[in-house]
Amino acid sequence: MRILVTGGAGFIGSALVRRLIRHSDHEVLVFDKLTYAGVLSSLDPVSSSDRYRFIQADICDADAVARAFRDFAPEVVAHLAAESHVDRSIDGPGAFVQTNVVGTFVMLSQALAYWRGLDEAARSAFRFHHISTDEVFGSLGEDGFFTETTPYDPRSPYSASKAGSDHLVRAWGHTYGLPVLVTNCSNNYGPFHFPEKLIPLIIIRALNGEPLPVYGDGSNVRDWLFVDDHARALQAVFETGKPGETYNVGGNAERKNIEVVTAICSILDRLRPKAEGRYADQITYVTDRPGHDHRYAIDAAKIRADLGWTPSVTFEQGIEQTVAWYLENQSWWRDILDARYSTQRLGVAHG
Ligand code: NAD
Ligand code: TDX
């Protein structure tokens, strides 16, 4: 199949593209604006494949999107392009509304126009897959899980913009018959993760001998999924999922933030011991994130039962691999630190 991957130079998009080139016969067109979060070198491992193509363009640019549909004639759209960092959405929500809401509208409008021009067999085979987040469901207390029928309750500018885009995607399915799929996934981690996010930020700052900022008291809980397992879930959904359906994707690996940070510190103590002391000595509790959601947890029973997908690695295996990758691939993240973002605090609202 021909798969149009928006946001393919990002963390999850690049993992999906590497997987599709290495483990399928699909052709891939990456459509990516290359914002601060787009890192083309994440695609170096597969960019010499003749089944891989790249276009630098904005999903809000209807003409560029229309051209990509016309020239590439995709059978699947895997729509991952988004502003993805909650802290940045606190500092500058406008970009989130623009890319996540307006950009998704443009993608849907152009997909619909293209889809209507296909013959009947191609129309029924076509899929528009929107990659979304569990944050649309809001925040849980100590118990319970998000299912596909949990009511939406987004609470940050980021999650509100993703909720808006999810609603638009479903509306295009219900109203116009576009064959859409939505997946809502928990926190991903793994190689090529941009240093603004908790896990890479902690690894990098630990290695640089800097304080390790834990928001609030560190008791917030996230469910962590290794990014390659997410990529495998996405492929299963657009290849075999039922149009109109939503699938929750999760790692069954709930951890308090402080547990994640101390796990990273212990792995580093073993793999790269400090001359004196331990990495955990660098942990510093800092002002909480405004509106910080307490807990996310996913019930992934549906994708397991319907599509046979389960995570392949535990959090302990995945975090070990991730720390090792950051140790072995320092040029990837040092280039980012030099040119784009040097792990400073973001998202402290000023009222
Ligand atoms: P990311 O920030 O690493 O990558 C986003 C990519 O989108 C970048 O390559 C960027 O250049 C591109 N992009 C941004 N705005 C664009 C625009 N206007 N036009 C074209 N390209 C644009 O994000 P990620 O962590 O890989 O997340 C990918 C998707 O998965 C997002 O939709 C996100 O909401 C969703 N998601 C992420 C997680 C997670 O834990 N990271 C979990 C669940 C869902
Ligand atoms: O320095 C930090 N210290 C800290 O304690 C950072 C950057 C984060 N945190 C906390 C906040 C969260 O409780 O760690 C947790 C994880 O934070 P992020 O890595 O920013 O992820 P999160 O806000 O949970 O959102 C992520 O998962 C869901 C992705 O960024 C989203 O795109 C995805 O939808």
Side-chain angles (χ1 to χ4, degrees):
M1 291 194 294
R2 285 179 303 279
I3 323 259
L4 170 56
V5 181
T6 71
F11 167 49
I12 301 170
S14 69
L16 175 63
V17 173
R18 290 190 302 273
R19 173 174 179 82
L20 293 177
I21 296 298
R22 286 173 175 155
H23 300 294
S24 81
D25 296 329
H26 301 317
E27 287 175 48
V28 175
L29 171 63
V30 171
F31 185 105
D32 198 298
K33 182 180 176 180
L34 298 183
T35 66
Y36 80 92
V39 186
L40 257 190
S41 63
S42 305
L43 291 161
D44 283 352
V46 293
S47 60
S48 61
S49 165
D50 57 9
R51 291 184 289 115
Y52 165 85
R53 281 185 248 175
F54 176 79
I55 294 178
Q56 181 173 4
D58 190 330
I59 56 165
C60 299
D61 178 347
D63 292 339
V65 174
R67 257 196 314 279
F69 273 107
R70 200 184 50 231
D71 296 347
F72 186 62
E75 287 144 306
V76 170
V77 175
H79 175 39
L80 295 98
E83 288 291 336
S84 70
H85 190 37
V86 174
D87 288 335
R88 285 184 199 261
S89 83
I90 296 167
D91 292 333
F96 288 70
V97 175
Q98 188 60 27
T99 284
N100 300 1
V101 182
V102 177
T104 298
F105 159 72
V106 171
M107 287 302 301
L108 286 164
S109 305
Q110 296 307 320
L112 182 63
Y114 162 79
W115 177 75
R116 284 178 164 159
L118 298 174
D119 64 35
E120 208 176 309
R123 265 208 306 276
S124 71
F126 182 81
R127 300 286 182 269
F128 186 101
H129 179 174
H130 182 231
I131 286 74
S132 192
T133 171
D134 61 355
E135 300 197 15
V136 298
F137 299 120
S139 180
L140 291 165
E142 297 310 318
D143 305 315
F145 296 90
F146 300 133
T147 72
E148 286 78 3
T149 56
T150 301
Y152 274 37
D153 180 25
R155 295 147 47 100
S156 73
Y158 164 69
S159 54
S161 69
K162 291 298 288 188
S165 58
D166 286 5
H167 290 320
L168 289 174
V169 171
R170 290 200 186 93
W172 259 244
H174 284 292
T175 307
Y176 306 112
L178 189 71
V180 298
L181 294 154
V182 176
T183 45
N184 294 91
C185 184
S186 61
N187 283 56
N188 284 216
Y189 69 101
F192 302 102
H193 202 181
F194 197 83
E196 66 195 351
K197 306 287 172 29
L198 176 70
I199 287 179
L201 183 135
I202 294 296
I203 299 170
I204 290 168
R205 290 184 68 94
L207 291 172
N208 286 341
E210 294 165 332
L212 308 180
V214 173
Y215 296 175
D217 64 3
S219 67
N220 301 67
V221 174
R222 298 292 182 266
D223 168 41
W224 294 96
L225 178 66
F226 194 61
V227 67
D228 292 350
D229 277 334
H230 188 195
R232 197 166 42 81
L234 297 179
Q235 187 182 355
V237 168
F238 66 65
E239 286 182 353
T240 58
K242 194 164 155 227
E245 293 291 323
T246 286
Y247 298 90
N248 279 1
V249 187
N252 198 20
E254 283 181 56
R255 297 289 183 282
K256 290 189 173 121
N257 290 339
I258 188 63
E259 293 170 344
V260 171
V261 173
T262 51
I264 293 168
C265 289
S266 328
I267 295 168
L268 283 172
D269 283 334
R270 189 158 37 78
L271 298 184
R272 189 63 54 95
K274 300 215 285 186
E276 252 176 67
R278 302 171 72 80
Y279 287 98
D281 302 339
Q282 292 167 226
I283 292 173
T284 316
Y285 291 91
V286 298
T287 315
D288 209 352
R289 169 185 283 175
H292 199 174
D293 285 341
H294 178 63
R295 174 172 167 261
Y296 306 137
I298 284 272
D299 177 349
K302 177 175 169 180
I303 189 169
R304 184 172 62 237
D306 291 5
L307 308 185
W309 175 89
T310 52
S312 72
V313 294
T314 64
F315 180 72
E316 284 62 38
Q317 292 166 329
I319 195 71
E320 175 94 20
Q321 279 185 46
T322 303
V323 173
W325 188 88
Y326 278 84
L327 284 170
E328 285 156 19
N329 292 275
Q330 301 208 13
S331 68
W332 182 86
W333 53 265
R334 288 199 187 278
D335 285 353
I336 292 173
L337 260 44
D338 290 344
R340 307 180 190 202
Y341 169 67
S342 53
T343 75
Q344 71 273 23
R345 177 81 196 259
L346 301 169
V348 184
H350 294 293

